[in-house]
Amino acid sequence: MRRFLFLAIWVGLTLCNGWMLASAQPGNGLAKTPPMGWNSWNHFGCDINENIIKEMADAMVNSGMKDAGYTYINIDDCWMDTVRDAQGRLQADPKRFPHGIKWLADYVHSKGLKLGIYSSAGTKTCAGYPASLDHEEIDAKTFASWGVDYLKYDNCYNQGRPLIERYRAMQQALAHCGRSIVFSICEWGLENPWEWAPQLGNLWRTTGDIRDSWESVMSILDQQVGLDKYAGPGHWNDPDMLEVGNGGMTTTEYRAHFSLWCILAAPLIAGNDLRNMSPETKEILTNGDMIAVDQDPLGKEGYKLQDNGDEEIWVKEMSDGSRVVLFLNRGTQTAFMTTNAEQIGLPQAPHYRLRNLWSHKESQTAWLIRGFVPPHGVLVFRVWPLSNG
Ligand code: GLA
């Protein structure tokens, strides 16, 4: 009898524990590494239609972006009709998307890619279209029936209703919609989302909207300090989508923007027109050495090691024991910057192997890691300890 009682208590505790863990995680098993893809907003705003989205899927494949790891083709705001259908379902704008979203999802899937869509935890989207507050279940089911793989969920027209409740309602609806859908929370970093969003979503915006300027990238960067401990496989800080290739920054600045997002283990969601990329833009977005930093399976976000005003050093720990070190020069003069193997967290070793992640050149060092960093630019090395020569 006593044994039976022990067994019953043990089974009870185990089940309860399992349930508590399950309810504390989005538990959808998605986004083990930061999501990679493209989104319509940064370049096109509301000026979208099914041809643009279709051509972007084609360009994703033809440009080599798909081979580099980009998967999601995400439609942002302004895809909906101004009214729901007779059954209360969201429907696509018949002029912009005459074939509907399911047709588009089928096309995107036929290219080996995935489709993302957008709504808001409010009565309207930011651009004023119908949104999902109090329609979570029907909308999640509709998205699932279309074959949607990713939902960006904004915060406009929220009626001042409690934030976590609104995002939890959609998380629950997605969990029961019958399809695996990445949940991208977009509440602009207002109420410390890093503290509650890891339990609900796969990624959460940490700031307001990015703009295509160096000042915007630096301001967003400053708001990431201290957030690294909240990120990990399945749940990521989102410093917003990329502006690389949109024309407002120099190639050096775009390289820095992209490198910083990789150090931050940020979602890499391109925001440019993939149909006509310059060779420089393509080289940045498809740099496999940098993408490997972002996509490292350990899922550790990088952190700021040193800040001397215009000169910053950022470090990211990698799953193979190496470290990535990024020298950032925010100033307007070339800087000579230095650190060493110990400072970036590597064990003592006779030598270290260095790989410059932009020139792809390799070298060795006994201890120091250093180099010239251009104004508004970065120098990035991956560093491995070597046991001999
Ligand atoms: C908000 C979001 C943006 C974009 C727009 C669309 O501003 O933060 O990323 O989705 O809405 O209206």
Side-chain angles (χ1 to χ4, degrees), residues 336-348:
F336 188 75
M337 296 180 64
T338 309
T339 186
N340 64 52
E342 185 187 2
Q343 277 179 341
I344 66 169
L346 286 172
Q348 264 204 334

Side-chain angles (χ1 to χ4, degrees), residues 41 76-77 118 126-127 152 154 156 186 188 205 209 240-241:
W41 185 254
D76 208 276
D77 206 346
Y118 163 100
C126 295
K152 173 174 166 183
D154 218 330
C156 279
C186 179
W188 316 311
R205 280 273 296 279
D209 289 6
D240 207 358
M241 305 170 293

Side-chain angles (χ1 to χ4, degrees), residues 74-235:
N74 293 350
I75 314 171
D76 208 276
D77 206 346
C78 308
W79 62 268
M80 309 85 168
D81 197 359
T82 49
V83 287
R84 289 174 176 266
D85 72 7
Q87 281 80 46
R89 293 173 302 200
L90 287 173
Q91 51 187 349
D93 179 332
K95 280 197 221 77
R96 297 172 199 263
F97 295 88
H99 290 92
I101 303 297
K102 165 124 183 40
W103 175 86
L104 204 49
D106 288 347
Y107 183 79
V108 166
H109 291 155
S110 78
K111 296 259 151 185
L113 299 169
K114 297 185 167 174
L115 188 86
I117 214 162
Y118 163 100
S119 186
S120 178
T123 52
K124 293 185 208 170
T125 71
C126 295
Y129 291 88
S132 300
L133 187 63
D134 297 330
H135 299 270
E136 292 85 357
E137 260 180 50
I138 189 169
D139 289 357
K141 288 219 166 79
T142 306
F143 299 151
S145 74
W146 290 341
V148 164
D149 306 293
Y150 185 116
L151 173 67
K152 173 174 166 183
Y153 203 45
D154 218 330
N155 194 26
C156 279
Y157 295 98
N158 59 46
Q159 310 299 305
R161 282 171 44 185
L163 208 106
I164 299 180
E165 253 171 60
R166 287 182 290 113
Y167 282 91
R168 187 183 290 125
M170 185 50 92
Q171 182 262 326
Q172 288 290 313
L174 290 175
H176 299 112
C177 76
R179 191 173 170 89
S180 290
I181 298 182
V182 170
F183 189 30
S184 159
I185 291 177
C186 179
E187 70 75 89
W188 316 311
L190 293 179
E191 292 186 33
N192 296 354
W194 38 89
E195 282 169 4
W196 50 267
Q199 284 147 39
L200 300 179
N202 299 107
L203 56 154
W204 54 88
R205 280 273 296 279
T206 54
T207 68
D209 289 6
I210 193 168
R211 279 170 293 107
D212 187 14
S213 73
W214 178 249
E215 291 66 35
S216 173
V217 167
M218 289 300 101
S219 142
I220 288 182
L221 179 69
D222 291 338
Q223 297 171 69
Q224 309 312 307
V225 178
L227 300 186
D228 50 293
K229 62 171 181 276
Y230 298 102
H235 49 100

Side-chain angles (χ1 to χ4, degrees), residues 329-378:
N329 177 6
R330 300 169 72 137
T332 51
Q333 308 288 320
T334 298
F336 188 75
M337 296 180 64
T338 309
T339 186
N340 64 52
E342 185 187 2
Q343 277 179 341
I344 66 169
L346 286 172
Q348 264 204 334
H351 293 276
Y352 298 86
R353 173 184 158 210
L354 296 184
R355 183 173 175 86
N356 180 319
L357 300 190
W358 285 102
S359 73
H360 313 291
K361 292 209 175 93
E362 302 240 346
S363 57
Q364 286 196 11
T365 180
W367 184 238
L368 292 175
I369 304 155
R370 56 192 171 172
F372 288 99
V373 192
H376 289 192
V378 293

